[in-house]
């Protein structure tokens, strides 16, 4: 197969940027499938667009073809990822492209899925369709890093987040609020972009959190709640337990009496028995493997000091957001300090201070 590099015009780049925006807007919302954006152009005008559907099907290319109100013969398709060519729960996108008589396909990144990798390129070329790849490759490969990680490691892409005060406190009995309204909104955006969210039972019992997305209009995209609870000590009257159904809440446990197990099952909670070490700690990598099998692809962890520290030390996080408030919190009553700042700086060398106009709160992104 030719490795010839194609020259792309400014118009090509413009249309692929739109396809990337379409893909970005569905990130974390397409189940086990990658989020893909697609733009179809004829005579230098956009005649249709498509995105991967919520939960992953139908695919972006199929949706763009279906959405078009014009004849597609002689048109050009821009798509962020190599179209699929295998039969799954839906027919291959290559079949739909060939049938539609699209004359040219430009995709940014070759799929890492072995069922697809470079195969679609060959199939489309064999049908006399012009096929080019590599447009905005570096930029779009960066977007697909979580998907590549999922496919290669068979694990969820893990994002961590913790909020600390100026004096590094993460909990104060007197002053519960650490960051401001704007940081809260960004936290809810992270919840919207991740399909699952993990805490421990200690955080559940102390804070009684809701763990949902509270951005207006996006509430239905709240993540699945994952609780680490060795002996099923989560408060049965907490919001998480009372609002559970048989799809939105998983608890990983190790040992509990039958009456406790029955009580939690009656609350429609998925209980997953898992091993612990001699210190009664879960093997987080085993937990992540199980979550992947449950369909989790993008996991947000809003843990306390112990869980966050453990995951930092073991370099579990693919990405970590440190929210820092400009105000000190009181030490005059019960409080908890974040002890992992030095370890975070040692383990994750790449730091980016995000300028998000958060009105004095600061976010540092670690990778």
């Amino acid at each position: 197969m030719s490795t010839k590099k194609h020259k792309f015009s400014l118009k090509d780049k413009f249309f692929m940027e739109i396809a990337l925006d379409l893909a970005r807007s569905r990130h974390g919302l397409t189940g086990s499938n990658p989020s893909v954006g697609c733009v179809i152009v004829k005579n230098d005008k956009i005649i249709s667009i498509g995105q991967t559907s919520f939960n992953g099907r139908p695919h972006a290319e199929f949706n763009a073809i279906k959405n078009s109100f014009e004849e597609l013969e002689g048109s050009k398709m821009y798509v962020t990822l190599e179209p699929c060519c295998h039969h799954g729960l839906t027919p291959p996108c290559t079949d739909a492209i060939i049938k539609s008589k699209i004359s040219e396909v430009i995709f940014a990144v070759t799929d890492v899925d072995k069922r697809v990798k470079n195969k679609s390129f060959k199939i489309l070329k064999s049908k006399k369709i012009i096929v080019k790849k590599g447009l905005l490759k570096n930029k779009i490969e960066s977007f697909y890093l979580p998907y590549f990680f999922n496919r290669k490691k068979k694990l969820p892409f893990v994002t961590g987040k913790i909020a600390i005060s100026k004096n590094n406190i993460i909990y104060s009995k007197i002053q519960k609020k650490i960051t401001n309204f704007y940081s809260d909104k960004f936290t809810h955006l992270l919840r919207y972009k991740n399909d699952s969210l993990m805490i421990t039972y200690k955080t559940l019992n102390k804070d009684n959190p809701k763990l949902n997305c509270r951005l207006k209009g996006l509430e239905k995209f709240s993540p699945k709640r994952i609780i680490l609870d060795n002996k099923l000590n989560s408060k049965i009257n907490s919001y998480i337990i009372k609002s559970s159904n048989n799809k939105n809440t998983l608890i990983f446990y190790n040992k509990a009496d039958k009456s406790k197990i029955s009580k939690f099952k009656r609350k429609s909670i998925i209980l997953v028995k898992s091993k612990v070490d001699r210190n009664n700690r879960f093997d987080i990598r085993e937990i992540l493997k199980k979550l992947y099998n449950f369909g989790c692809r993008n996991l947000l962890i809003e843990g306390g000091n112990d869980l966050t520290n453990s995951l930092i030390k073991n370099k579990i996080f693919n990405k970590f957001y440190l929210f820092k408030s400009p105000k000190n919190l009181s030490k005059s009553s019960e409080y908890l300090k974040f002890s992992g700042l030095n370890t975070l700086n040692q383990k994750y060398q790449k730091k980016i201070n995000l300028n998000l106009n958060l009105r004095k709160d600061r976010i540092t992104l670690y990778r």
Side-chain angles (χ1 to χ4, degrees):
M1 186 176 62
S2 172
T3 57
K4 175 186 170 184
K5 285 191 175 180
H6 299 286
K7 288 185 178 180
F8 297 107
S9 68
L10 288 175
K11 284 181 181 178
D12 289 329
K13 291 174 184 176
F14 172 74
F15 294 131
M16 188 62 84
E17 287 279 6
I18 295 172
L20 177 57
D21 285 341
L22 290 166
R24 279 178 175 148
S25 70
R26 289 277 166 92
H27 173 71
L29 306 174
T30 57
S32 59
N33 286 340
S35 179
V36 175
C38 181
V39 173
I40 301 177
V41 173
K42 194 169 184 178
N43 299 323
D44 290 333
K45 291 182 180 179
I46 295 174
I47 61 171
S48 189
I49 61 171
Q51 300 162 279
T52 307
S53 302
F54 295 116
N55 298 318
R57 297 176 186 86
H59 294 177
E61 301 92 323
F62 177 89
N63 286 333
I65 289 168
K66 182 187 70 174
N67 292 340
S68 178
F69 292 103
E70 291 191 33
E71 284 292 320
L72 294 175
E73 187 172 357
S75 64
K76 186 185 291 190
M77 173 182 280
Y78 296 83
V79 61
T80 53
L81 190 67
E82 183 177 7
C84 75
C85 59
H86 62 283
H87 284 270
L89 295 176
T90 53
C93 288
T94 48
D95 284 3
I97 293 168
I98 293 162
K99 188 177 178 181
S100 70
K101 297 184 180 179
I102 288 170
S103 64
E104 185 172 346
V105 174
I106 299 175
F107 64 88
V109 178
T110 300
D111 200 340
V112 294
D113 190 329
K114 291 177 181 176
R115 298 169 298 177
V116 179
K117 190 175 181 180
N118 287 318
K119 292 176 183 174
S120 297
F121 184 95
K122 292 176 182 176
I123 289 168
L124 294 173
K125 284 200 83 169
S126 73
K127 298 296 181 179
K128 309 301 181 190
I129 294 170
I130 298 167
V131 189
K132 298 176 184 175
K133 61 180 178 177
L135 175 56
L136 301 185
K137 182 184 176 184
N138 292 340
K139 189 173 186 177
I140 294 177
E141 273 186 340
S142 178
F143 168 73
Y144 282 117
L145 283 178
Y147 168 64
F148 295 157
F149 182 83
N150 293 156
R151 286 289 183 189
K152 289 175 182 176
K153 303 290 186 181
K154 305 297 181 189
L155 294 170
F157 186 89
V158 182
T159 299
K161 174 254 169 187
I162 201 164
I164 62 175
S165 65
K166 186 179 179 181
N167 52 342
N168 296 342
I169 290 173
I170 60 172
Y171 171 79
S172 171
K173 195 170 185 180
I174 292 177
Q175 297 167 272
K176 299 270 178 146
K177 194 76 179 151
I178 298 176
T179 50
N180 62 26
F181 169 83
Y182 304 99
S183 288
D184 286 350
K185 291 291 184 185
F186 188 76
T187 294
H188 287 286
L189 181 66
L190 289 177
R191 291 179 180 181
Y192 165 67
K193 288 293 184 183
N194 286 271
D195 54 54
S196 307
L197 198 167
M198 179 189 286
I199 61 169
T200 66
Y201 78 94
K202 291 179 184 177
T203 299
L204 183 145
N205 289 346
K206 183 177 282 186
D207 298 342
N208 192 23
K210 293 184 177 179
L211 305 185
N212 55 1
C213 172
R214 296 193 285 279
L215 296 176
K216 190 174 181 182
L218 302 178
E219 296 87 350
K220 68 178 181 179
F221 299 109
S222 293
K224 187 177 291 184
R225 295 90 58 94
I226 316 295
I227 317 298
L228 301 181
D229 186 358
N230 186 356
K231 297 179 180 178
L232 292 184
N233 288 324
S234 296
K235 290 180 180 177
I236 206 77
N237 63 345
S238 64
Y239 176 86
I240 296 296
I241 305 304
K242 289 197 292 188
S243 63
S244 65
N245 59 49
N246 60 8
K247 290 182 180 179
N248 75 348
T249 311
L250 280 81
I251 295 182
F252 287 90
Y253 79 105
N254 175 251
K255 188 182 290 185
D257 60 51
K258 288 183 179 178
S259 62
K260 259 190 179 181
I261 292 170
S262 296
K263 197 179 288 186
F264 279 89
K265 284 186 174 178
R266 284 199 296 273
K267 295 289 184 180
S268 299
I269 288 166
I270 300 169
L271 293 179
V272 185
K273 192 168 185 179
S274 298
K275 293 178 182 177
V276 294
D277 63 19
R278 63 183 68 180
N279 297 314
N280 287 320
R281 291 177 180 168
F282 290 110
D283 182 338
I284 195 66
R285 286 186 172 85
E286 285 302 312
I287 298 284
L288 293 176
K289 285 178 186 176
K290 289 178 180 181
L291 285 174
Y292 184 87
N293 292 332
F294 273 105
C296 171
R297 295 295 179 269
N298 295 281
L299 174 66
L300 177 64
I301 296 181
E302 295 186 21
N305 188 63
D306 292 344
L307 178 62
T308 303
N309 267 333
S310 173
L311 301 188
I312 289 169
K313 285 174 184 175
N314 289 292
K315 288 208 77 173
I316 297 296
F317 294 116
N318 300 100
K319 186 187 287 188
F320 190 90
Y321 291 94
L322 178 71
F323 289 66
K324 191 159 190 175
S325 165
K327 65 186 181 186
N328 288 317
L329 287 190
S330 172
K331 294 183 181 180
S332 61
S333 183
E334 183 184 343
Y335 73 94
L336 181 62
K337 200 166 186 177
F338 179 50
S339 61
L341 205 52
N342 288 337
T343 313
L344 184 61
N345 286 320
Q346 290 164 7
K347 294 284 185 180
Y348 295 86
Q349 297 297 324
K350 189 174 181 182
K351 292 194 298 181
I352 306 164
N353 286 312
L354 301 180
N355 182 12
L356 298 171
N357 193 24
L358 292 179
R359 307 285 175 91
K360 295 185 179 178
D361 280 357
R362 194 180 77 220
I363 298 179
T364 304
L365 172 62
Y366 293 79
R367 283 178 173 154

